[in-house]
Amino acid sequence: MANIDCVIDTHPMANEMNSISHHVTGTTTAVVAMKAAVIKAENDAAEHVCNNVNRGFYTLIRSQISQKTAKLTSEVDSLVMQLQQQTRMLLNIRTRMEHDYNMITARYTKLFGTLNQSLKQRIRELDRPTFDFAERDLELISNRPRQLTATVPVSQLESLTVSQRIAASNVKHHAQEVIDTMSTFLGNMAQQKQLTSRILLPHSVSTPSAQYLLPSIVAEECIDQTGTTATRVVVNQHGITPQAVSATRNQINTHVGELPWQKQSEVCAEVQNEFNRLLSLSKATDRVKRTARDLFGKNIFETFNSAAS
């Protein structure tokens, strides 16, 4: 077999391979750069998506919380306004109640003060000798030791005799005043007993069949500001059993509308004198006395007509 020696020039091919190698290297570099850019772009996109999702989530939660907060705030404000309105209403009610309480208290205080003063004056008039004895005479008696304090004589026998006579005269004078006061008191008590014995029955009422005449007063009075009237019956209770007093009061209340009444043409002189005396001794104001005198002068009271019964 024949051998043929051929000489082939490989330099162009090597050159080409060298250029191809450079292109492959460039392509590899480009691919690596593209891969890095793609990864960076994917990371940036993922980061952007995550940020947007987080921002949207937080925005949604914040919006919901803001809505709930606004709703609860409006409810709280409405409740606070209702509480403030109720507070003002309660304060107004409290102020009105305090005003009514003070007005009622002042009215009843004045009413009961007037009643107490009137009752005190009546009791004082009924037992004036006792009050005079307790307030005036006992004070004089208690002041006697201070007024009759013995003095030590430092003068002659004549002056001592005169001083003893003056002291004895002073003692006799005070003793005479005490005796006169006691005599007056006992005399008044005896007159009261005689007057009471003539007015009261000699014995208590015990038999239902017995008939007695009891002095009674029927008064019609106004009990409030609307003009409502009420009838009050006052029966003498001295020497009478409570059953008889109650029966008399019930009988009068039952037939008070059927009783024959007649107006008095003139006031009894004794009643008028007694009224004037009590009015002059009263400690009431001039306006009250003048009003009482005017009411008494109108003479609108009536009495029972026994002839028509």
Side-chain angles (χ1 to χ4, degrees), residues 76-86 88:
V76 170
D77 292 340
S78 64
L79 292 176
V80 169
M81 293 179 63
Q82 291 180 3
L83 290 176
Q84 291 177 353
Q85 184 178 2
Q86 293 177 0
R88 289 193 295 269

Side-chain angles (χ1 to χ4, degrees), residues 161-177:
T161 304
V162 174
S163 299
Q164 290 178 352
R165 289 180 179 178
I166 292 174
S169 176
N170 193 10
V171 172
K172 291 180 180 179
H173 175 69
H174 287 287
Q176 184 65 34
E177 288 183 350

